[in-house]
Amino acid sequence: MTVQTEAVAATPSFSMSIFERYLTVWVLLCIVAGIALGQLAPGAFQAVGRMEVAQVNLPVGLLIWVMVIPMLLKVDFGALGQVRQHWRGIGVTLFVNWAVKPFSMALLAWLFIRHVFADWLPADQLDSYVAGLILLAAAPCTAMVFVWSRLTGGDPVFTLSQVALNDTIMVFAFAPIVGLLLGLSAITVPWDTLLTSVVLYIIIPVVLAQVWRRSLLRRGQAAFDRALERLGPLSIAALLLTLVLLFAFQGQAILRQPLVIAMLAVPILIQVFFNSGLAYWLNRRVGEKHNIACPSALIGASNFFELAVAAAISLFGFHSGAALATVVGVLIEVPVMLLVVRVVNRSRAWYEQAPRNAARHPA
């Protein structure tokens, strides 16, 4: 009981900030601002695009770190010791995150991008769009899932332990899964750039965040919470500035085909609803409680879009369809996840009517 109490105390318990709640609005404003600035001052953005070392854009690399590290500060890898408490829910989460979501997204991308919408999309970007969608689905959510879990009354120990486990797996599995699915999609895999992205945007930020986290916690939980509160807006601001840069480069393509964002949104929406529904139903079938099923379903549906944007830019560039596809994921993340939150909250009575086999599967 003592261990659980300590884990709960260390679990992030923040409500949505104004930046997070209206993220879709800010992204839409970034689209407009980026396109306008790209048309007004193309030379300035081309100069930014040329600031590269070993295929890594330095301004974007810095912005990605500012985005990602505050998110990773919330993750306590000490929570891995709590995984066994709800092993069935953890098993469902891992199955959906790593065995279903990346592959279902690859299938949906192939279906919609290369077939259903192929005639309305630029032929030279089809592979790039598919790659961006794969990148988006290959990394499970790290930070916002704490918010979604809180809004559904999710078990904080379970939420923290599943995020810690997912992030540990991501360090080793992100590159192989992306490489496999890109290869299966007949897309050339730039392995050196992919591995560099993993080191720059996963391994180094994880190490820095954990060192910083320990330093902050030595000053007390109140100091740690204050630091996260201050860093949250900075992280979102870095994301929005990255989007302005990206849309400055994407402006011409979007102006020529304004419906491209809507077409890219279709497979993303389908995979969110499919994977969240699958995780929710599987938790019900194995007899997990509702407050376990909710965060399991939510992390099964949401994505680590900051990492996806960074990897897409590193692998394919600002001008690529891959970068644009990952940004569409950012655009729809908040409204669609709030809808999933609403569904699991309203369906609690239905969920708990099912025979949970509590005798055979004690909670």
Side-chain angles (χ1 to χ4, degrees):
M1 191 67 183
T2 303
V3 174
Q4 181 167 338
T5 302
E6 291 173 353
V8 172
T11 304
S13 58
F14 308 105
S15 58
M16 295 183 74
S17 69
I18 189 170
F19 284 103
E20 293 167 334
R21 186 176 296 277
Y22 297 104
L23 182 58
T24 300
V25 176
W26 311 137
V27 173
L28 288 171
L29 292 175
C30 287
I31 293 175
V32 175
I35 293 173
L37 291 171
Q39 302 303 304
L40 293 172
F45 289 98
Q46 290 169 6
V48 172
R50 290 192 295 268
M51 297 172 66
E52 291 186 348
V53 175
Q55 292 184 285
V56 175
N57 186 273
L58 297 180
V60 171
L62 177 61
L63 289 170
I64 295 297
W65 276 25
V66 176
M67 270 190 247
V68 172
I69 290 176
M71 306 290 183
L72 294 172
L73 276 174
K74 300 179 181 180
V75 180
D76 178 12
F77 286 98
L80 288 173
Q82 309 300 317
V83 166
R84 64 183 180 276
Q85 289 189 11
H86 293 285
W87 61 270
R88 296 188 306 278
I90 290 288
V92 168
T93 302
L94 295 182
F95 172 70
V96 172
N97 279 168
W98 299 106
V100 177
K101 186 167 71 170
F103 299 92
S104 63
M105 179 61 96
L107 176 61
L108 290 168
W110 171 82
L111 176 63
F112 284 96
I113 304 303
R114 287 187 170 163
H115 294 277
V116 177
F117 297 140
D119 292 340
W120 293 279
L121 292 169
D124 61 336
Q125 290 285 2
L126 295 184
D127 284 350
S128 191
Y129 291 142
V130 171
L133 293 173
I134 288 172
L135 286 167
L136 187 64
C141 183
T142 288
M144 289 295 286
V145 70
F146 291 117
V147 176
W148 312 136
S149 178
R150 180 181 173 85
L151 293 176
T152 60
D155 184 295
V157 175
F158 174 79
T159 303
L160 185 59
S161 58
Q162 71 170 359
V163 169
L165 183 57
N166 262 322
D167 282 6
T168 302
I169 293 171
M170 183 168 59
V171 171
F172 303 99
F174 180 78
I177 287 178
V178 169
L180 172 65
L181 291 175
L182 291 180
L184 291 175
S185 302
I187 299 170
T188 301
V189 182
W191 276 103
D192 54 344
T193 308
L194 178 57
L195 294 175
T196 300
S197 297
V198 170
V199 172
L200 283 177
Y201 303 129
I202 300 179
I203 296 176
I204 293 178
V206 164
V207 172
L208 291 177
Q210 290 305 299
V211 171
W212 195 4
R213 175 188 174 87
R214 291 187 180 187
S215 175
L216 288 170
L217 285 173
R218 288 193 196 103
R219 304 175 193 173
Q221 186 67 39
F224 177 71
D225 291 344
R226 283 196 302 271
L228 285 185
E229 188 176 350
R230 292 169 185 166
L231 289 169
L234 185 62
S235 177
I236 298 295
L239 171 64
L240 297 180
L241 184 54
T242 303
L243 299 187
V244 170
L245 290 174
L246 194 149
F247 280 108
F249 286 99
Q250 293 282 349
Q252 288 291 343
I254 294 172
L255 291 174
R256 285 197 302 268
Q257 292 183 301
L259 291 178
V260 65
I261 292 177
M263 287 185 279
L264 290 171
V266 171
I268 297 174
L269 288 169
I270 293 174
Q271 75 95 19
V272 167
F273 293 128
F274 171 73
N275 288 298
S276 60
L278 176 62
Y280 195 52
W281 176 76
L282 285 175
N283 274 287
R284 187 174 187 252
R285 291 289 298 172
V286 302
E288 276 291 9
K289 295 185 294 184
H290 188 258
N291 68 344
I292 300 298
C294 290
S296 178
L298 294 164
I299 200 171
S302 53
N303 306 301
F304 192 174
F305 53 75
E306 296 90 350
L307 172 61
V309 171
I313 293 173
S314 295
L315 291 171
F316 301 101
F318 275 113
H319 296 88
S320 67
L324 180 60
T326 59
V327 171
V328 175
V330 184
L331 177 64
I332 66 176
E333 173 88 2
V334 171
V336 73
M337 290 308 299
L338 286 174
L339 179 57
V340 175
V341 165
R342 182 178 177 85
V343 169
V344 297
N345 281 341
R346 291 177 66 89
S347 63
R348 180 169 183 169
W350 165 81
Y351 186 96
E352 294 180 343
Q353 284 173 359
R356 289 182 38 238
N357 300 319
R360 287 189 296 136
H361 301 298

